[in-house]
Structures are given as C-alpha cells and as structure tokens.
Amino acid sequence: MTAGLPVPMGLLAELTHRCPLGCPYCSNPVELERKSDELDLATWSRVFREAAALGILQLHLSGGEPAARRDLTEIVAAARSANLYSNLITSGVGLPAGKLAALADAGLDHVQLSIQDAEAQSADRIAGFAGAAARKRELAREAVAIGLPLTVNAVIHRANIERIGALVELAIAWGARRVEIAHVQYHGWAERNRAQLMPTEEQVAPALQELARLRETYREEIVIDAVVPDYFARYPKPCVGGWGRRSINISPSGLALPCHAAQTIPGLEFWSVRTHALAEIWAHSPAFEAFRGTSWMEEPCVQCPRRETDFGGCRCQAFALAGRAEAADPVCHLSPLHARVAELREEQAETAYEARGHRAARSTSLARAANPLR
C-alpha cells in the first residue's frame, strides 16, 4: 500500500445489470452492460480475496438484481471464504422461496431490500412490475424469520415523499433494524426523469420535519438514515465519502470505478480487475487518482474550510450541471453556478417515466410476474 493512501472500507460488486424492474431512478448507467460480459465466479472470488487483503471489510452485492446470477449462492460463499461481511442489495423480485435461506447458509450476513412506496399500487407502478410490493413483503418476512439483519431502502422523490412516515412504519412492521431514506441522485436514468421525480419545495420542508419527528418517536425501534436532498441543501455531500477514499465499485464487466456514476465523466481511464490487481487499481488507477484529495480543486473550494469535509461535493454532479468535473458542485451555495440548481428544482413534469432498459424488456418483465428471471 502506498504511504499515506487511505484504506478502503467497502467494495460494491455490481454482479449484473439485469433486473426485472424498471425503476425511473435506477443508478445503473443508461448503457447497460451485457450478460455475456459479466465477470465469472472465479474472477469475483479472486477480487474478494484481493479486497480482503487490501483491508476492505464490507462487501455489497448489487446489480441490477443480483438474483439474476444463477451462481449467486457460490458468490456469497466466496465472500465468506474471503472473510468479508456480505450485504445483499436486492429488489426482492427474482428470489424464490427458500433461496434466501440458502444464501444465509452460504454465509450471507445482511439483506438490504429496496421499496418504492408504502402503497402497493403506487410501488408497483414506480417499479414497473405488477406484484413487486407483495414479493418484497414476503422476502422481508423470510429474512427476519431466518435471523438475517434487514435494512429497508426507500428512494424518495415527488411521488412518495409525502409518505415518508408510512415508509418508516412499514419498515418497522416488517422487522427491519434500519431504514434508509435515500433521495434520488440525478444520474443515469434519474437524470432522464428529473422533471418527473423532483419534489417541490413545498414537499421537502415538511418531509424534513417529519423525519425529525420519526427519529424521536422511533429512536428505540429502528435506525433512520436520511440526509437533505442535494438540490435543496446548502452544502454538497462528500461523494462516497470522498473520491478514492473509502470505497471501490466494480461494474459487471470488471471495470473499477470510484463511484457508480464515474463513467459519466469523459476522459477518465478505468482499469479492469481482469487485467489489474485490486491493490494496484486502488493505488495507481488514473480514474481513482483524478480527484483524490484536494490538489485538483479550483475556487471557491481551494480556500473553503470544508474542503476536507465534503471534498468539493460530487464530481459527477459537477460535470452534469457545470460541464466540468473540476468545478465546485453547483449544489453548494458558494458555487457561481448554484442558480442552475434552483432552476432545475422548478422544472416539473407530469409525463410518464422513461424506465431503465428498452420498452420491450419492461413489457416482458410485467408479463413474467410468475417467473421474472426465466
């Protein structure tokens, strides 16, 4: 390890981009990677061993929908063999009865279940999958029954922000130990649907008040993680704890990324785990080095007392809104382009969502409610 280089804490393994849902805020890239390009079990197993040797403690198995991988049980077993704490990030759709128990037997440590809304009809509409809400409820019951810690993740936007209280209460009813109130990040599919997803200022203020009430009311029952949505914040959040400081994201084909949206920034060179060891990527990959630390910063970030706290905010958001990844995140009120954020907050549309993937795939997923991953 290079002297002075931070030790990463987490590895996000995007096992596949395949998914039966069509969520309009999906964090996957608009150009989805093909099944034929996905890393095989042997490569993932090697990456997990290298991650442990690098000092990584937590492994997040994500997608797409990880259950689309027929070798998911073996992947979980490989994580346990590498002594990594494994967290399955799942939609709950595509995991047949008994599969979760098999994953627990293989060494799975935790389940993070996404939900779209507290109202089943709205949840299914947002997910683009009839019956998705019911499947999620059953998976939550199974997780709690077999003793797996459960976190519920609710992505918040205009269609469900007024039901944050109901979402927290649903997580409690399902036996979750933690609930994440995660506001939409406007990259990829969410950027395409920003005008349909953006909450209004009249929605955000009472939602934040409701969160404070919920934390007080249920402080002995559940942990509630939540932050102010970016476009309504005074300061930006540190991108994944700071670019190249805390985590590594591996795409289905093996590209190592500093964050899930890093490929939206042109000109970055991403190394692959197929050809480079993980330690080499962490220490020397041009993409990880590009915005690590503070030396790349421009004004107003250079003189800002928060530069070691938020690290200039999100680089992908800076590029999307300012046209330059080196710019201050326009979410920050000190950015000369902050007015652009205010303009985008006002852009509202009631048109249909553009769901991730092509329309034929979405129609097929709706039709295959009985066997979505066939």
Side-chain angles (χ1 to χ4, degrees):
M1 180 66 66
T2 304
L5 194 65
V7 176
M9 297 176 57
L11 177 70
L12 179 67
E14 292 186 343
L15 302 179
T16 181
H17 280 163
R18 289 173 285 153
C19 184
L21 305 189
C23 302
Y25 48 74
C26 180
S27 62
N28 287 160
V30 173
E31 295 296 327
L32 301 173
E33 294 185 359
R34 298 174 180 272
K35 176 184 177 182
S36 59
D37 294 330
E38 293 172 4
L39 297 179
D40 59 18
L41 172 62
T43 305
W44 278 121
S45 299
R46 172 179 60 79
V47 169
F48 296 164
R49 293 192 299 271
E50 292 177 353
L54 191 55
I56 287 173
L57 302 175
Q58 297 180 348
L59 169 66
H60 305 281
L61 301 171
S62 181
E65 171 49 58
R69 291 283 302 234
R70 295 184 182 276
D71 56 356
L72 180 59
T73 303
E74 291 77 13
I75 289 173
V76 169
R80 171 53 60 91
S81 179
N83 293 318
L84 294 174
Y85 181 94
S86 58
N87 171 40
L88 179 67
I89 302 175
T90 179
S91 68
V93 178
L95 279 168
K99 180 66 172 180
L100 198 58
L103 294 174
D105 289 341
L108 184 67
D109 294 296
H110 183 275
V111 176
Q112 180 176 314
L113 178 63
S114 66
I115 59 175
Q116 280 71 30
D117 204 339
E119 296 180 355
Q121 184 175 1
S122 174
D124 288 355
R125 181 184 65 83
I126 294 167
F129 193 107
R135 286 168 179 252
K136 294 170 186 288
R137 181 179 64 247
E138 293 304 314
L139 186 76
R141 289 175 178 172
E142 185 179 357
V144 172
I146 63 179
L148 276 174
L150 173 67
T151 291
V152 166
N153 176 272
V155 179
I156 303 302
H157 46 85
R158 189 162 77 243
N160 64 9
I161 190 171
E162 294 172 2
R163 288 185 288 279
I164 286 179
L167 285 162
V168 170
E169 289 165 358
L170 183 64
I172 293 171
W174 284 0
R177 301 182 186 181
R178 180 183 298 269
V179 59
E180 297 178 350
I181 303 300
H183 290 268
V184 168
Q185 300 291 303
Y186 295 100
H187 306 298
W189 298 97
E191 184 177 15
R192 291 191 173 191
N193 291 292
R194 180 167 48 206
Q196 294 95 322
L197 294 167
M198 183 71 68
T200 65
E201 291 195 54
E202 292 74 20
Q203 288 178 308
V204 170
L208 295 177
Q209 293 173 356
E210 174 72 346
L211 273 171
R213 183 192 70 80
L214 292 165
R215 281 177 164 148
E216 176 64 23
T217 301
Y218 297 116
R219 66 182 184 278
E220 302 297 332
E221 297 181 60
I222 195 168
V223 175
I224 302 175
D225 287 334
V227 293
V228 177
D230 277 357
Y231 281 46
F232 296 85
R234 183 172 174 81
Y235 294 104
K237 293 185 286 293
C239 177
V240 292
W243 185 283
R245 288 180 56 84
R246 298 182 60 182
S247 64
I248 304 173
N249 190 102
I250 307 296
S251 79
S253 67
L255 291 180
L257 313 174
C259 75
H260 70 272
Q263 288 172 287
T264 63
I265 301 176
L268 293 182
E269 179 185 344
F270 303 103
W271 287 359
S272 172
V273 296
R274 296 181 190 270
T275 54
H276 293 78
L278 202 61
E280 182 185 13
I281 291 171
W282 180 251
H284 303 296
S285 164
F288 280 81
E289 289 285 274
F291 303 110
R292 181 178 272 152
T294 59
S295 62
W296 55 271
M297 288 182 177
E298 302 177 350
E299 295 293 356
C301 299
V302 173
Q303 302 298 324
C304 181
R306 295 176 55 89
R307 64 184 178 277
E308 298 277 0
T309 301
D310 58 35
F311 297 97
C314 176
R315 297 301 87 220
C316 302
Q317 193 158 256
F319 176 77
L321 299 181
R324 296 178 61 254
E326 298 82 2
D329 187 339
V331 161
C332 182
H333 75 287
L334 298 174
S335 165
L337 297 175
H338 183 65
R340 176 60 178 151
V341 175
E343 293 172 0
L344 291 171
R345 285 201 305 260
E346 299 302 316
E347 292 183 7
Q348 305 279 329
E350 301 298 333
T351 53
Y353 299 132
E354 180 180 353
R356 59 153 277 170
H358 52 80
R359 294 182 182 275
R362 188 179 181 204
S363 299
T364 300
S365 70
L366 285 164
R368 290 183 175 175
N371 188 12
L373 298 178
R374 183 174 58 194

